[in-house]
Amino acid sequence: MNLYLRYFDKETLVTSVDEAINFLADIDEVGMNAALEADIREYVASDVYYPKRYKVRPRVYFIIIKTEAQSMQDFKDKKAVRSAVGNPKERNASPALMKLNEERFGWYECELDFKRVLMVPGTGKFQYRDTHFVVQLKGTSGQDCYNRIVEHLRERVDERSQFPSAKGKNFHFTYLGMAK
């Protein structure tokens, strides 16, 4: 495990935490002290792989990145980037999004929270009201059910009503099975 360090235009790729501390100690603005050294050693020893940045002064930081790169050029070319397991298509899609688009014909129970426009009887003005809609329907996927629900509601509520994204927290569905 190597470490990439950068402070403005000063950067280096080192193989040990001692080399990293020596690099930072040579930069006067960083102000290397025992507490900072202990924190850097703790970060390097941990299983955390996200970059760590340290504040030097307001809006000024230096950064440390753990990497498998053997040279600065390999690091710049991103040849040693930690990758997720699986094929590239699965790596970029979230599990919730994959579940939403998974093709499974059958019955679904869906819940949708949306903003419905209603007229206030006393004033004649309109306002948005949070509305919870639950339905059981046949569909081929969660996305198919969402599309059918929104199409159904658009025909029956004020056109100014607002519907959430199928990918958001206001739409939930459960696969019930083939027979109901």
Side-chain angles (χ1 to χ4, degrees):
M1 177 69 53
N2 293 328
L3 302 168
Y4 170 79
L5 292 93
R6 185 180 73 224
Y7 178 73
F8 287 109
D9 60 343
K10 298 174 182 151
E11 63 183 359
T12 188
L13 186 72
V14 296
T15 58
S16 70
V17 69
D18 292 324
E19 290 177 47
I21 291 170
N22 289 338
F23 171 77
L24 294 170
D26 290 341
I27 302 171
D28 295 331
E29 296 171 348
V30 170
M32 180 58 71
N33 57 35
L36 181 58
E37 180 178 341
D39 193 56
I40 292 170
R41 288 184 188 279
E42 182 181 326
Y43 166 71
V44 172
S46 72
D47 292 337
V48 175
Y49 283 94
Y50 59 84
K52 177 97 178 197
R53 66 180 193 167
Y54 292 90
K55 190 174 198 174
V56 175
R57 60 181 188 274
R59 295 188 301 249
V60 176
Y61 301 86
F62 71 86
I63 190 169
I64 300 176
I65 300 173
K66 292 181 180 179
T67 181
E68 301 291 332
Q70 297 302 314
S71 70
M72 185 64 83
Q73 190 60 43
D74 286 349
F75 180 79
K76 297 284 181 173
D77 293 341
K78 298 180 182 176
K79 290 183 181 173
V81 174
R82 294 180 59 87
S83 61
V85 178
N87 67 35
K89 187 176 181 181
E90 290 177 358
R91 205 178 318 149
N92 294 333
S94 69
L97 188 59
M98 289 175 55
K99 186 177 175 188
L100 181 68
N101 293 322
E102 179 184 355
E103 297 263 337
R104 278 176 89 181
F105 182 76
W107 284 93
Y108 288 84
E109 180 171 281
C110 302
E111 298 179 33
L112 179 71
D113 295 321
F114 68 101
K115 302 277 188 190
R116 184 176 185 177
V117 173
L118 294 173
M119 184 174 70
V120 179
T123 64
K125 295 183 178 180
F126 292 90
Q127 70 179 18
Y128 285 103
R129 286 254 172 98
D130 290 332
T131 305
H132 185 72
F133 183 79
V134 180
V135 66
Q136 291 181 353
L137 72 156
K138 269 189 184 175
T140 57
S141 68
Q143 183 69 48
D144 175 50
C145 291
Y146 172 82
N147 294 339
R148 292 176 62 201
I149 291 168
V150 170
E151 180 181 323
H152 172 80
L153 290 172
R154 283 193 196 276
E155 295 173 2
R156 288 161 178 78
V157 298
D158 190 293
E159 63 186 25
R160 294 172 288 181
S161 297
Q162 297 174 357
F163 298 97
S165 167
K167 301 171 195 168
K169 63 182 180 182
N170 292 323
F171 175 68
H172 304 283
F173 65 95
T174 307
Y175 179 70
L176 300 174
M178 289 297 292
K180 174 82 173 108

PDB file of all heavy atoms in Angstrom, residues 77-94:
ATOM      1  N   ASP A  77      -2.433   7.836 -14.153  1.00  0.00           N
ATOM      2  CA  ASP A  77      -3.192   7.132 -15.186  1.00  0.00           C
ATOM      3  C   ASP A  77      -4.325   6.289 -14.601  1.00  0.00           C
ATOM      4  O   ASP A  77      -5.041   5.612 -15.333  1.00  0.00           O
ATOM      5  CB  ASP A  77      -2.266   6.217 -15.999  1.00  0.00           C
ATOM      6  CG  ASP A  77      -1.258   6.999 -16.818  1.00  0.00           C
ATOM      7  OD1 ASP A  77      -1.487   8.209 -17.048  1.00  0.00           O
ATOM      8  OD2 ASP A  77      -0.236   6.404 -17.220  1.00  0.00           O
ATOM      9  N   LYS A  78      -4.451   6.301 -13.285  1.00  0.00           N
ATOM     10  CA  LYS A  78      -5.502   5.577 -12.553  1.00  0.00           C
ATOM     11  C   LYS A  78      -5.461   4.078 -12.832  1.00  0.00           C
ATOM     12  O   LYS A  78      -6.497   3.429 -12.952  1.00  0.00           O
ATOM     13  CB  LYS A  78      -6.878   6.148 -12.875  1.00  0.00           C
ATOM     14  CG  LYS A  78      -7.017   7.588 -12.466  1.00  0.00           C
ATOM     15  CD  LYS A  78      -8.375   8.124 -12.793  1.00  0.00           C
ATOM     16  CE  LYS A  78      -8.401   9.588 -12.396  1.00  0.00           C
ATOM     17  NZ  LYS A  78      -9.625  10.250 -12.753  1.00  0.00           N
ATOM     18  N   LYS A  79      -4.254   3.546 -12.898  1.00  0.00           N
ATOM     19  CA  LYS A  79      -4.118   2.124 -13.158  1.00  0.00           C
ATOM     20  C   LYS A  79      -4.314   1.286 -11.902  1.00  0.00           C
ATOM     21  O   LYS A  79      -4.527   0.091 -11.991  1.00  0.00           O
ATOM     22  CB  LYS A  79      -2.740   1.818 -13.754  1.00  0.00           C
ATOM     23  CG  LYS A  79      -2.576   2.338 -15.159  1.00  0.00           C
ATOM     24  CD  LYS A  79      -1.246   1.953 -15.724  1.00  0.00           C
ATOM     25  CE  LYS A  79      -1.097   2.508 -17.137  1.00  0.00           C
ATOM     26  NZ  LYS A  79       0.238   2.292 -17.676  1.00  0.00           N
ATOM     27  N   ALA A  80      -4.247   1.882 -10.730  1.00  0.00           N
ATOM     28  CA  ALA A  80      -4.348   1.126  -9.481  1.00  0.00           C
ATOM     29  C   ALA A  80      -5.581   1.521  -8.677  1.00  0.00           C
ATOM     30  O   ALA A  80      -5.597   1.459  -7.472  1.00  0.00           O
ATOM     31  CB  ALA A  80      -3.094   1.336  -8.643  1.00  0.00           C
ATOM     32  N   VAL A  81      -6.626   1.905  -9.362  1.00  0.00           N
ATOM     33  CA  VAL A  81      -7.857   2.290  -8.680  1.00  0.00           C
ATOM     34  C   VAL A  81      -8.539   1.040  -8.155  1.00  0.00           C
ATOM     35  O   VAL A  81      -8.649   0.037  -8.853  1.00  0.00           O
ATOM     36  CB  VAL A  81      -8.792   3.044  -9.652  1.00  0.00           C
ATOM     37  CG1 VAL A  81     -10.132   3.317  -9.008  1.00  0.00           C
ATOM     38  CG2 VAL A  81      -8.148   4.324 -10.105  1.00  0.00           C
ATOM     39  N   ARG A  82      -9.020   1.104  -6.907  1.00  0.00           N
ATOM     40  CA  ARG A  82      -9.757  -0.033  -6.331  1.00  0.00           C
ATOM     41  C   ARG A  82     -11.097  -0.120  -7.026  1.00  0.00           C
ATOM     42  O   ARG A  82     -11.836   0.840  -7.086  1.00  0.00           O
ATOM     43  CB  ARG A  82      -9.954   0.156  -4.839  1.00  0.00           C
ATOM     44  CG  ARG A  82      -8.665   0.135  -4.061  1.00  0.00           C
ATOM     45  CD  ARG A  82      -8.919   0.317  -2.598  1.00  0.00           C
ATOM     46  NE  ARG A  82      -9.767  -0.699  -2.043  1.00  0.00           N
ATOM     47  CZ  ARG A  82      -9.367  -1.878  -1.565  1.00  0.00           C
ATOM     48  NH1 ARG A  82      -8.092  -2.174  -1.602  1.00  0.00           N
ATOM     49  NH2 ARG A  82     -10.225  -2.726  -1.060  1.00  0.00           N
ATOM     50  N   SER A  83     -11.439  -1.284  -7.566  1.00  0.00           N
ATOM     51  CA  SER A  83     -12.695  -1.422  -8.307  1.00  0.00           C
ATOM     52  C   SER A  83     -13.646  -2.336  -7.556  1.00  0.00           C
ATOM     53  O   SER A  83     -13.240  -3.207  -6.796  1.00  0.00           O
ATOM     54  CB  SER A  83     -12.430  -1.980  -9.698  1.00  0.00           C
ATOM     55  OG  SER A  83     -11.840  -3.251  -9.589  1.00  0.00           O
ATOM     56  N   ALA A  84     -14.924  -2.169  -7.822  1.00  0.00           N
ATOM     57  CA  ALA A  84     -15.956  -3.013  -7.223  1.00  0.00           C
ATOM     58  C   ALA A  84     -15.953  -4.363  -7.919  1.00  0.00           C
ATOM     59  O   ALA A  84     -15.518  -4.504  -9.051  1.00  0.00           O
ATOM     60  CB  ALA A  84     -17.319  -2.353  -7.375  1.00  0.00           C
ATOM     61  N   VAL A  85     -16.480  -5.359  -7.244  1.00  0.00           N
ATOM     62  CA  VAL A  85     -16.554  -6.692  -7.813  1.00  0.00           C
ATOM     63  C   VAL A  85     -17.740  -6.747  -8.767  1.00  0.00           C
ATOM     64  O   VAL A  85     -18.759  -6.114  -8.545  1.00  0.00           O
ATOM     65  CB  VAL A  85     -16.729  -7.732  -6.680  1.00  0.00           C
ATOM     66  CG1 VAL A  85     -16.858  -9.124  -7.257  1.00  0.00           C
ATOM     67  CG2 VAL A  85     -15.565  -7.651  -5.716  1.00  0.00           C
ATOM     68  N   GLY A  86     -17.593  -7.502  -9.832  1.00  0.00           N
ATOM     69  CA  GLY A  86     -18.704  -7.647 -10.777  1.00  0.00           C
ATOM     70  C   GLY A  86     -18.412  -6.957 -12.092  1.00  0.00           C
ATOM     71  O   GLY A  86     -17.380  -6.352 -12.284  1.00  0.00           O
ATOM     72  N   ASN A  87     -19.389  -7.052 -12.985  1.00  0.00           N
ATOM     73  CA  ASN A  87     -19.174  -6.441 -14.287  1.00  0.00           C
ATOM     74  C   ASN A  87     -19.432  -4.941 -14.217  1.00  0.00           C
ATOM     75  O   ASN A  87     -20.075  -4.459 -13.295  1.00  0.00           O
ATOM     76  CB  ASN A  87     -20.034  -7.135 -15.350  1.00  0.00           C
ATOM     77  CG  ASN A  87     -21.518  -6.907 -15.147  1.00  0.00           C
ATOM     78  OD1 ASN A  87     -21.933  -5.842 -14.707  1.00  0.00           O
ATOM     79  ND2 ASN A  87     -22.307  -7.917 -15.480  1.00  0.00           N
ATOM     80  N   PRO A  88     -18.942  -4.164 -15.177  1.00  0.00           N
ATOM     81  CA  PRO A  88     -19.078  -2.709 -15.124  1.00  0.00           C
ATOM     82  C   PRO A  88     -20.517  -2.218 -15.070  1.00  0.00           C
ATOM     83  O   PRO A  88     -20.800  -1.229 -14.435  1.00  0.00           O
ATOM     84  CB  PRO A  88     -18.402  -2.240 -16.417  1.00  0.00           C
ATOM     85  CG  PRO A  88     -17.501  -3.352 -16.823  1.00  0.00           C
ATOM     86  CD  PRO A  88     -18.138  -4.601 -16.308  1.00  0.00           C
ATOM     87  N   LYS A  89     -21.433  -2.937 -15.713  1.00  0.00           N
ATOM     88  CA  LYS A  89     -22.834  -2.498 -15.695  1.00  0.00           C
ATOM     89  C   LYS A  89     -23.382  -2.560 -14.273  1.00  0.00           C
ATOM     90  O   LYS A  89     -24.065  -1.658 -13.811  1.00  0.00           O
ATOM     91  CB  LYS A  89     -23.647  -3.389 -16.623  1.00  0.00           C
ATOM     92  CG  LYS A  89     -25.065  -2.935 -16.806  1.00  0.00           C
ATOM     93  CD  LYS A  89     -25.770  -3.815 -17.806  1.00  0.00           C
ATOM     94  CE  LYS A  89     -27.202  -3.361 -18.020  1.00  0.00           C
ATOM     95  NZ  LYS A  89     -27.905  -4.208 -18.963  1.00  0.00           N
ATOM     96  N   GLU A  90     -23.081  -3.632 -13.537  1.00  0.00           N
ATOM     97  CA  GLU A  90     -23.553  -3.782 -12.169  1.00  0.00           C
ATOM     98  C   GLU A  90     -22.836  -2.833 -11.224  1.00  0.00           C
ATOM     99  O   GLU A  90     -23.384  -2.416 -10.222  1.00  0.00           O
ATOM    100  CB  GLU A  90     -23.349  -5.217 -11.693  1.00  0.00           C
ATOM    101  CG  GLU A  90     -24.268  -6.204 -12.365  1.00  0.00           C
ATOM    102  CD  GLU A  90     -23.990  -7.613 -11.923  1.00  0.00           C
ATOM    103  OE1 GLU A  90     -23.057  -7.827 -11.116  1.00  0.00           O
ATOM    104  OE2 GLU A  90     -24.685  -8.523 -12.385  1.00  0.00           O
ATOM    105  N   ARG A  91     -21.610  -2.502 -11.504  1.00  0.00           N
ATOM    106  CA  ARG A  91     -20.823  -1.649 -10.628  1.00  0.00           C
ATOM    107  C   ARG A  91     -21.404  -0.242 -10.556  1.00  0.00           C
ATOM    108  O   ARG A  91     -21.387   0.386  -9.507  1.00  0.00           O
ATOM    109  CB  ARG A  91     -19.387  -1.592 -11.152  1.00  0.00           C
ATOM    110  CG  ARG A  91     -18.386  -1.280 -10.108  1.00  0.00           C
ATOM    111  CD  ARG A  91     -16.967  -1.293 -10.661  1.00  0.00           C
ATOM    112  NE  ARG A  91     -16.738  -2.390 -11.567  1.00  0.00           N
ATOM    113  CZ  ARG A  91     -15.909  -2.334 -12.586  1.00  0.00           C
ATOM    114  NH1 ARG A  91     -15.238  -1.250 -12.845  1.00  0.00           N
ATOM    115  NH2 ARG A  91     -15.748  -3.357 -13.385  1.00  0.00           N
ATOM    116  N   ASN A  92     -21.938   0.261 -11.662  1.00  0.00           N
ATOM    117  CA  ASN A  92     -22.422   1.631 -11.705  1.00  0.00           C
ATOM    118  C   ASN A  92     -23.867   1.768 -11.230  1.00  0.00           C
ATOM    119  O   ASN A  92     -24.308   2.849 -10.894  1.00  0.00           O
ATOM    120  CB  ASN A  92     -22.303   2.191 -13.127  1.00  0.00           C
ATOM    121  CG  ASN A  92     -20.861   2.321 -13.546  1.00  0.00           C
ATOM    122  OD1 ASN A  92     -19.992   2.485 -12.710  1.00  0.00           O
ATOM    123  ND2 ASN A  92     -20.610   2.235 -14.830  1.00  0.00           N
ATOM    124  N   ALA A  93     -24.636   0.693 -11.203  1.00  0.00           N
ATOM    125  CA  ALA A  93     -26.037   0.767 -10.806  1.00  0.00           C
ATOM    126  C   ALA A  93     -26.177   0.441  -9.322  1.00  0.00           C
ATOM    127  O   ALA A  93     -25.532  -0.461  -8.818  1.00  0.00           O
ATOM    128  CB  ALA A  93     -26.848  -0.223 -11.631  1.00  0.00           C
ATOM    129  N   SER A  94     -27.032   1.174  -8.647  1.00  0.00           N
ATOM    130  CA  SER A  94     -27.268   0.905  -7.241  1.00  0.00           C
ATOM    131  C   SER A  94     -28.181  -0.312  -7.123  1.00  0.00           C
ATOM    132  O   SER A  94     -28.961  -0.607  -8.026  1.00  0.00           O
ATOM    133  CB  SER A  94     -27.901   2.117  -6.583  1.00  0.00           C
ATOM    134  OG  SER A  94     -29.220   2.294  -7.051  1.00  0.00           O
TER     135      SER A  94
END
